[in-house]
Amino acid sequence: MSGGLLVAGTTSDAGKSVVTAGICRWLVRRGVKVAPFKGQNMSLNSFVTRDGAEIGRAQAMQAQAARVEPSALMNPVLLKPGSDRSSQVVLMGKPVGELSARGYFGGPGGSSPGEMQHGALRQTLFEPVVACLEELRATYDAVVCEGAGSPAEINLRRTDIVNMGIARAARFPVLVVGDIDRGGVFAQFFGTTALLAPEDQELVAGYLVNKFRGDVTLLEPGLDMLRGLTGRRTYGVLPFAHGLGIDEEDGLRVSLRGAVRESVVAPPVGEDVLRVAVCAVPLMSNFTDVDALAAEPGVVVRFVDRPEELADADLVVVPGTRGTVRALDWLRARGLADALVRRAADGRPVLGICGGFQLLGEHIDDEVESRAGAVAGLGLLPVRVRFAREKTLARPVGEALGEPVEGYEIHHGVAEVLGGESFLAGCRVGAVWGTHWHGALESDGFRRAFLRVVAAAAGRRFVPAPDTSFGALREEQLDRLGDLIEEHADTDALLRLIEHGPPTGLPFVAPGAP
């Protein structure tokens, strides 16, 4: 086999990431050497490869689904939002600067000559993005590409490097995924196709319905009518499946108030549950850190934005953020900062991770991220933080609470620890813990030891399950994604697409791109 496929979506969050992962897992179980690829990703959830490159965490998850080592080739351009209008641009795993949306996407009406000059950046990235894809194609039997947003973003098509631009460059067939749980999926499929240029439409092979609830026979007349209207078939109808929202790309779109992370359906081992509250700070990054907590039977994890919601929490997590000073201001404005200070004084557990660790310290000097200069932290840990222009990207290993721990670091803030008990290159004072390490809670022995300490401090008769393996649970989730593809998609037809490309003679759907 030699070929590939682009998984596009009618909207953001249509299910492209998990469908791509599912196709990768299905293919590798068939003996196909497969790699994931996303030319450009916008996400605050990122990961560090073994050679020190930063890529989207979704692509790292897809690489795990494909049973290959993650690489910067799989996500050559990563955009990390710092505000509604600007992002840090990460190229081949390394940050190359901050850029406004207009500066990145380009277009008429720039406010300055320099901005218009930067407007060509997205177009200049197209060549290295295609080069990465070609390198993967030379190494693997198949490459499954994930698109971004919708391929019918007519305002961005001219400089597209992730949807139809990639499909046309590689001559890959396109499978359009739609989330039927939101409603309107037929209009989305038709409209997406009808807004593409003829050269793009000839690559759109068909559709995949995601998150269907009910009797599929009731859907079939609509699928037949859609085929009559577009000349394109539907390659599968995936049922709604709980607990598969793994490694979501964008923390900005998470429903933060009242959201509860899905966990395994298992009763607590001890007599009590353990309640974890995660402060939903602005520009929250790598909120996937708490997934390992939610995987423990008897641990309930929720996102909060009010001080009253910390009252019954046994552990409060202050997660990573792309805006440490902004998050600190937000905590103070909402009264959460005072609540955290009271918790610390009462000996009730608080864990700060990365940006959350930084704002728990005494002092922040930031001329890089917020350019706010000298700022007082919450003073809960004896730490002073200075923001450096060079980003720390690392895969540290160590030990804490007598257990081995692995993690990864992604931060500009450099922490000077002035006291306390050493904890994962950060520190601990009483019931307050802080570290730059993401992913540490995925180390099973350490997570259980940490939860035992938290339960004791909280006075809870909670007992961690002795055999919960986060890695095994993740593998089970990836296998479930592969099962969904194998059981509910026309896999023979998908194989033909991947190997031979889009069907010939696909009709044009009017009106096409304006």
Side-chain angles (χ1 to χ4, degrees):
M1 173 179 289
S2 177
L5 177 73
L6 174 72
V7 178
T10 58
T11 63
S12 295
D13 294 334
K16 298 183 294 292
S17 295
V18 292
V19 168
T20 300
I23 293 174
C24 285
R25 178 50 60 101
W26 158 65
L27 284 172
V28 76
R29 293 194 306 205
R30 293 181 63 103
V32 177
K33 187 180 179 184
V34 59
F37 177 80
K38 186 163 185 173
Q40 173 225 293
N41 194 353
M42 177 174 282
S43 179
L44 287 170
N45 283 337
S46 58
F47 182 77
V48 179
T49 66
R50 294 200 181 278
D51 59 355
E54 184 180 9
I55 66 173
R57 190 167 169 99
Q59 278 61 66
M61 176 268 292
Q62 292 161 358
Q64 184 179 349
R67 295 177 180 152
V68 296
E69 190 66 30
S71 161
L73 293 172
M74 299 171 184
N75 179 206
V77 179
L78 174 63
L79 305 179
K80 303 194 72 176
S83 71
D84 291 341
R85 296 191 175 188
S86 67
S87 295
Q88 182 181 67
V89 181
V90 179
L91 177 62
M92 292 304 297
K94 304 297 180 184
V96 295
E98 296 278 338
L99 204 60
S100 69
R102 183 184 294 276
Y104 183 71
F105 292 104
S111 61
S112 69
E115 189 173 79
M116 288 305 295
Q117 184 179 1
H118 285 305
L121 175 60
R122 185 172 162 111
Q123 291 173 295
T124 62
L125 292 174
F126 185 65
E127 186 173 329
V129 165
V130 171
C132 288
L133 175 57
E134 290 306 312
E135 187 170 342
L136 290 175
R137 294 182 72 182
T139 307
Y140 292 88
D141 299 329
V143 180
V144 182
C145 305
E146 180 188 346
S150 162
E153 307 287 359
I154 54 179
N155 57 316
L156 303 178
R157 177 62 185 92
R158 180 177 59 85
T159 53
D160 172 41
I161 65 171
V162 65
N163 289 307
M164 301 313 299
I166 280 292
R168 201 188 293 190
R171 300 303 300 171
F172 275 179
V174 177
L175 184 69
V176 181
V177 178
D179 179 357
I180 197 170
D181 197 51
R182 296 179 174 186
V185 75
F186 292 114
Q188 293 170 20
F189 284 145
F190 181 86
T192 297
T193 309
L195 280 176
L196 298 178
E199 297 83 358
D200 290 340
Q201 285 196 23
E202 68 183 23
L203 300 176
V204 177
Y207 314 109
L208 185 75
V209 177
N210 191 29
K211 295 186 180 179
F212 179 72
R213 306 174 191 252
D215 185 349
V216 71
T217 61
L218 299 177
L219 187 66
E220 289 171 352
L223 300 179
D224 292 339
M225 286 186 276
L226 181 67
R227 184 165 190 170
L229 288 166
T230 67
R232 290 158 175 84
R233 58 166 297 180
T234 298
Y235 284 80
V237 178
L238 307 185
F240 191 99
H242 291 279
L244 292 181
I246 54 177
D247 290 353
E248 294 97 333
E249 286 190 348
D250 197 346
L252 296 175
R253 285 197 297 269
V254 173
S255 176
L256 297 175
R257 290 226 66 255
V260 179
R261 304 293 294 175
E262 292 192 66
S263 58
V264 291
V265 182
V269 175
E271 297 179 44
D272 287 343
V273 299
L274 207 64
R275 295 173 176 84
V276 179
V278 184
C279 294
V281 296
L283 298 174
M284 183 168 56
S285 61
N286 287 61
F287 60 88
T288 48
D289 283 332
V290 300
D291 284 356
L293 294 177
E296 285 284 348
V299 176
V300 180
V301 179
R302 67 184 188 274
F303 293 100
V304 303
D305 61 4
R306 297 174 181 171
E308 299 83 8
E309 294 173 302
L310 304 189
D312 67 343
D314 303 306
L315 169 67
V316 173
V317 177
V318 187
T321 170
R322 256 276 286 158
T324 299
V325 172
R326 178 175 169 182
L328 184 58
D329 291 341
W330 181 87
L331 289 170
R332 286 179 168 139
R334 288 183 170 261
L336 285 160
D338 290 339
L340 289 170
V341 171
R342 289 193 298 270
R343 281 188 68 90
D346 294 340
R348 304 179 66 197
V350 176
L351 171 64
I353 302 174
C354 200
F357 164 45
Q358 295 167 6
L359 60 82
L360 294 179
E362 298 172 350
H363 178 86
I364 298 169
D365 187 4
D366 180 12
E367 297 291 350
V368 176
E369 190 176 78
S370 68
R371 296 181 176 86
V375 177
L378 296 186
L380 303 185
L381 292 173
V383 174
R384 298 178 69 86
V385 176
R386 175 185 55 81
F387 274 72
R389 296 198 177 277
E390 184 175 347
K391 180 184 283 189
T392 297
L393 297 169
R395 289 279 294 269
V397 296
E399 182 178 299
L401 302 178
E403 298 286 347
V405 188
E406 295 182 15
Y408 56 100
E409 294 185 61
I410 306 169
H411 54 91
H412 284 279
V414 179
E416 180 185 5
V417 179
L418 303 173
E421 179 184 342
S422 179
F423 172 68
L424 299 179
C427 66
R428 172 193 181 184
V429 174
V432 181
W433 317 63
T435 178
H436 271 134
W437 291 22
H438 294 290
L441 293 166
E442 296 178 17
S443 298
D444 297 326
F446 164 71
R447 182 181 65 254
R448 287 191 280 268
F450 178 71
L451 289 177
R452 282 193 289 268
V453 174
V454 168
R460 297 287 187 187
R461 290 173 292 183
F462 168 85
V463 178
D467 55 355
T468 300
S469 167
F470 184 74
L473 290 172
R474 175 54 55 87
E475 279 295 305
E476 289 176 13
Q477 286 183 309
L478 295 173
D479 275 331
R480 287 178 64 198
L481 292 177
D483 293 343
L484 284 174
I485 298 298
E486 191 165 348
E487 296 169 9
H488 300 281
D490 187 338
T491 52
D492 289 339
L494 284 179
L495 281 173
R496 287 194 295 271
L497 280 182
I498 292 169
E499 189 163 10
H500 301 296
T504 58
L506 292 171
F508 172 72
V509 180

